[in-house]
Amino acid sequence: MTVAGACRRQPRIAIVGAGISGIAAAVALRRAGFGDFTIFEKGPDFGGTWRDNTYPGLVCDVPSRYYQFTFAMNPEWSQLYSTGSEIKEYLCRTARTHGLDRRTEFRTEVVGAEFSGADWRVTTARGEVERFDFVLCATGFLHHPKKPDIPGLEEFAGPVIHSARWDPAIDLTDMRVGVIGTGSTGTQLVGALAGQVPKVSMFQRTPQWILPTINRAYSPLAKALYRRLPVLGKVAYGCNRATFAAFSQGLVHPGLIRRVIQWVVERNLRSVRDPELRRKLTPDYQAMCKRLVVSDRFYQVVQRPDVELVTSGIEQVQPRGVITADGRRHDLDILVLATGFDSHAYMRPMAITGTDGRTLDQAWAEGPRAFEGVMMPDFPNLFMLVGPHSPFANHPLTAVAEAQSHRIVRWLKRWQAGEFDSVAPTRAATDRYNARLRAAAPGTIWTTGCQSWYLGKDGLPELWPWNPGAYEKLIRRAPDPADYTVSPAQSAFRAASGK
Ligand code: N01
């Protein structure tokens, strides 16, 4: 497609992934009048991580009045922090309301995308190849379960199940359950299983700070008010946003918020009466260095006689249980791996090839890098949603995805106006941007002495190191043409940019 005579041309767009960010992007495209898009989704439904995760006790730790799209405010949330299934239903409903089911190819995995010089050739696992002007990678970063490398794991006689691949058909009633991992998932699982099964053994490698909370249900009256007065939903969204902005200050700057949070979590830990158990549960790093776990019941549950916190390291798994470094054997009937995700994969293992045969693996040899979280040099007309260094620590991805969709639509409009055929950020701009991120990283809580899935190969967080509000401001402003290389019409592009 050429720029000449290209007035009001319609781009063909591929969106890979029908989770939160894929839905946000597709709705933004629709609303901006871009109707020629296909969503490729490897699973059977919308919802992404909220479709894949169905383990008992799954509750979102961001209030639902904030963890929702601004274009689809839901008055019907049943409680302050909604369950995974309620969020999944909300996402499916929103997608269908906006007609996205008609544009989605479910059970269709994209395995590769190659830039031909003029457009993208997108290949599915069935071997079909389709051509698109733009590719939007909305694959998220919590979708590849991480299996621990523990000797003997394959020998275990009972089921071994990752939390993100929960099997509701398994009857746990008489089972002694081993849960490996103490992140957000492990703590929620143990909270839900305690009392429902004869025994839960929780294998802890690193203790977590726990932020206490109260999850309350919305009364029928409250829901009716939210239904009748939509402004209430907007007010609640705004209040939550302000609260999270204040909380985020603690993540990216030392100071009062950090001290307050530290005080709160230490006080919460004092609810554990047994000093020995309390000692075992006490982290040796600052609160929020790892992603803060939010729970209304974990400390109560871990003090139950039918719950054991095992802190001696796992040496080996045997057919009937686990042997720990202190020589003890823990008899178990099922092992649940709450061991997290390969959060650095992003859209991999898709094989993505940009200009001059440059592959994504080559571009990311030193770790995932992007320009402003959404684009990469050498990969023209390819956008990421919630890409590297987006602000996703305790911040709702709904808000991030909406802001990034706004930027993508802006580029599509310029393409449609014939300003360019392909656009990518320059390497120089991307290097400068990433140097700024690296320079700011030491000021954040994430580099204060803990291991976490936030950290990349270089030990620095793959997170936006400032307040999320600053990111939204950045991504919603007009891109600076000096940071981009466009083809073929540099002059038309610059003239339109007023530079
Ligand atoms: O995973 P994690 P997660 N032997 O990586 C341990 C989101 N989420 O699934 O700390 C023993 O945080 C590991 O130990 P250590 C949220 O963003 C959100 O819990 O590395 N243990 C750790 O304890 C969250 O942050 C909600 O020493 C091993 C645990 O496994 C993200 O998902 C709910 C081990 C992994 O913790 C991931 O959370 C749930 C081994 N070999 C999840 N390997 C909401 O509420 C790993 N571990 C929105």
Side-chain angles (χ1 to χ4, degrees), residues 307-353:
V307 174
E308 184 183 5
L309 182 77
V310 182
T311 55
S312 186
I314 300 175
E315 285 253 304
Q316 197 193 356
V317 176
Q318 293 187 342
R320 303 272 158 218
V322 162
I323 307 288
T324 42
D326 56 5
R328 267 189 68 199
R329 179 179 144 146
H330 306 263
D331 292 329
L332 299 167
D333 302 305
I334 179 169
L335 262 179
V336 182
L337 311 175
T339 43
F341 301 87
D342 175 7
S343 55
H344 310 287
Y346 293 97
M347 55 273 208
R348 292 175 285 188
M350 263 166 71
I352 301 186
T353 309

Side-chain angles (χ1 to χ4, degrees), residues 424-436:
T426 64
R427 284 198 193 184
T430 308
D431 290 347
R432 269 197 313 275
Y433 178 75
N434 279 280
R436 278 184 58 222

Side-chain angles (χ1 to χ4, degrees), residues 50 55 58-62 67 142 146 148-150 163 180-186 188 203-206 208 290-291 314 338-341 451 453-454:
W50 296 105
Y55 62 82
L58 174 58
V59 167
C60 182
D61 59 9
V62 178
Y67 198 93
L142 295 179
K146 209 162 68 183
D149 189 14
I150 301 174
S163 53
I180 302 178
T182 51
S184 304
T185 303
Q188 289 187 346
F203 295 90
Q204 170 187 282
R205 187 164 70 179
T206 312
Q208 291 273 3
K290 282 174 176 289
R291 192 182 195 274
I314 300 175
T339 43
F341 301 87
Q451 272 306 316
W453 63 263
Y454 290 158

Side-chain angles (χ1 to χ4, degrees), residues 10-326:
Q10 276 298 331
R12 294 153 302 160
I13 304 158
I15 301 177
V16 186
I20 283 181
S21 55
I23 295 170
V27 171
L29 295 185
R30 256 240 138 121
R31 295 175 129 205
F34 298 107
D36 189 359
F37 62 85
T38 303
I39 306 175
F40 294 96
E41 168 53 59
K42 69 181 176 194
D45 206 347
F46 296 103
T49 196
W50 296 105
R51 178 201 61 222
D52 290 347
N53 284 269
T54 58
Y55 62 82
L58 174 58
V59 167
C60 182
D61 59 9
V62 178
S64 299
R65 300 244 170 255
Y66 191 29
Y67 198 93
Q68 62 177 338
F69 297 120
T70 53
F71 57 81
M73 295 282 204
N74 177 19
E76 308 297 340
W77 292 116
S78 62
Q79 49 191 30
L80 186 62
Y81 299 96
S82 296
T83 60
S85 60
E86 190 172 358
I87 295 169
K88 193 232 164 193
E89 272 168 37
Y90 163 78
L91 293 173
C92 291
R93 198 170 58 243
T94 303
R96 294 202 163 87
T97 304
H98 286 83
L100 303 188
D101 42 343
R102 292 191 294 279
R103 304 230 56 102
T104 306
E105 293 188 18
F106 291 109
R107 296 188 175 85
T108 304
E109 184 177 1
V110 172
V111 292
E114 190 174 353
F115 190 64
S116 69
D119 58 11
W120 282 93
R121 284 160 201 208
V122 171
T123 308
T124 70
R126 288 193 291 271
E128 298 140 344
V129 181
E130 280 187 64
R131 301 172 73 148
F132 295 93
D133 298 303
F134 290 87
V135 173
L136 277 49
C137 297
T139 52
F141 49 85
L142 295 179
H143 64 302
H144 296 300
K146 209 162 68 183
K147 249 186 147 181
D149 189 14
I150 301 174
L153 193 58
E154 309 301 327
E155 315 297 321
F156 190 68
V160 177
I161 187 168
H162 191 279
S163 53
R165 297 288 178 269
W166 192 259
D167 179 358
I170 296 179
D171 181 6
L172 294 173
T173 317
D174 295 318
M175 289 211 183
R176 292 159 300 177
V177 183
V179 175
I180 302 178
T182 51
S184 304
T185 303
T187 48
Q188 289 187 346
L189 260 164
V190 170
L193 295 178
Q196 307 297 314
V197 297
K199 175 148 190 207
V200 182
S201 304
M202 184 182 209
F203 295 90
Q204 170 187 282
R205 187 164 70 179
T206 312
Q208 291 273 3
W209 288 112
I210 311 281
L211 188 71
T213 186
I214 298 169
N215 195 6
R216 58 180 169 74
Y218 287 107
S219 66
L221 175 66
K223 284 194 220 170
L225 284 172
Y226 275 105
R227 217 175 293 133
R228 290 195 66 131
L229 301 169
V231 68
L232 282 184
K234 289 186 186 158
V235 170
Y237 187 95
C239 292
N240 275 294
R241 191 182 161 87
T243 309
F244 273 74
F247 173 81
S248 298
Q249 280 301 106
L251 296 172
V252 295
H253 291 297
L256 182 65
I257 303 275
R258 256 186 222 184
R259 289 200 297 278
V260 170
I261 300 269
Q262 188 66 40
W263 180 82
V264 172
V265 294
E266 285 179 14
R267 205 182 139 83
N268 189 29
L269 180 61
R270 276 190 246 142
S271 65
V272 176
R273 289 179 301 276
D274 174 9
E276 179 54 15
L277 181 59
R278 199 162 59 234
R279 186 189 62 74
K280 288 180 174 176
L281 286 166
T282 306
D284 62 359
Y285 56 86
Q286 292 183 54
M288 304 189 292
C289 181
K290 282 174 176 289
R291 192 182 195 274
L292 196 55
V293 173
V294 179
S295 177
D296 54 351
R297 58 198 310 247
F298 177 66
Y299 287 148
Q300 284 167 30
V301 159
V302 81
Q303 297 180 77
R304 291 172 60 107
D306 52 357
V307 174
E308 184 183 5
L309 182 77
V310 182
T311 55
S312 186
I314 300 175
E315 285 253 304
Q316 197 193 356
V317 176
Q318 293 187 342
R320 303 272 158 218
V322 162
I323 307 288
T324 42
D326 56 5

